[in-house]
Amino acid sequence: PSPDQIYAEALGIKPEIAAQMLRLKGTEHSIKIAQAGNYPTLSLSGGMGTNYYTTSGFKADGFGSQLKNNFSQYIGLNLNVPIFNRFQTRNNIRNARITQENQQLALENTKKTLYQDIQKVYYNALNAQAKEKASQQAVATANDAFHLTQAKYENGKATITEFNEAKNNYLKSESDLVQARYENIYQKALIEFYRGKNLNF
């Protein structure tokens, strides 16, 4: 798949994108909370109480009797209409909107970073694939050269140094192929990781 296709899949599954989107959604609620400061508020309150008192030298009713006789209760409504609060509500709304804009920028930056990472992995995978193919060709060439030098050596047409050099080149090309193969597997697995698939080596 192309980097754009991988990116489209990654947007829906990457936790860092989901986290930034949730934070952005949270800023919408923060704006609404700040705007609520413009609305009137009505509060209901109520309470119950009693007391007991005694004064030295004076006769007083008993404890239970006083609690019963002094029992009181109240209920109240309080209406608060905001008229002027030194622009506190206006400033809170502006701050909440600035926070939302900053969070939007943070989300865009996270998306850009993700896309750059995907592009890097994609082109690394292409390079690894090309390197493996080149290594396969190098092994075939080194193999032919080694067998040719071996035949020359057996017929006295090549020295032991030439034989060892051809053999070492062949072994090195095989080692390079193994390295390129595993690099290719690793880069392909990274692409699958960004697509939300389980890594399977």
Side-chain angles (χ1 to χ4, degrees), residues 34-157:
Q35 288 172 337
N38 288 322
Y39 305 136
T41 56
L42 180 66
S43 58
L44 172 68
S45 61
M48 295 185 297
T50 186
N51 60 64
Y52 168 80
Y53 64 89
T54 181
T55 306
S56 178
F58 293 92
K59 185 178 179 183
D61 291 340
F63 179 75
S65 178
Q66 281 200 36
L67 291 184
K68 181 178 178 184
N69 293 335
N70 295 333
F71 180 74
S72 63
Q73 61 272 348
Y74 71 91
I75 187 168
L77 283 173
N78 181 34
L79 177 64
N80 182 19
V81 180
I83 297 173
F84 181 72
N85 60 0
R86 298 189 299 270
F87 302 110
Q88 183 179 354
T89 301
R90 183 199 67 177
N91 292 338
N92 288 343
I93 294 170
R94 285 181 179 176
N95 288 336
R97 286 188 174 141
I98 289 171
T99 301
Q100 184 181 48
E101 289 171 6
N102 288 337
Q103 187 55 47
Q104 182 67 46
L105 291 174
L107 174 60
E108 294 304 319
N109 284 336
T110 304
K111 286 181 177 181
K112 284 178 184 176
T113 301
L114 176 63
Y115 188 72
Q116 288 171 352
D117 291 343
I118 288 172
Q119 276 189 317
K120 183 178 177 182
V121 168
Y122 176 79
Y123 289 113
N124 283 346
L126 288 183
N127 290 337
Q129 192 175 28
K131 189 176 179 182
E132 183 180 355
K133 287 181 181 177
S135 296
Q136 289 171 345
Q137 293 173 351
V139 166
T141 302
N143 184 35
D144 292 342
F146 170 66
H147 286 301
L148 181 62
T149 305
Q150 185 178 26
K152 284 183 179 181
Y153 175 72
E154 289 171 355
N155 291 309
K157 302 285 184 183

Side-chain angles (χ1 to χ4, degrees), residues 155-166:
N155 291 309
K157 302 285 184 183
T159 64
I160 187 68
T161 304
E162 292 172 330
F163 174 77
N164 284 335
E165 186 178 350

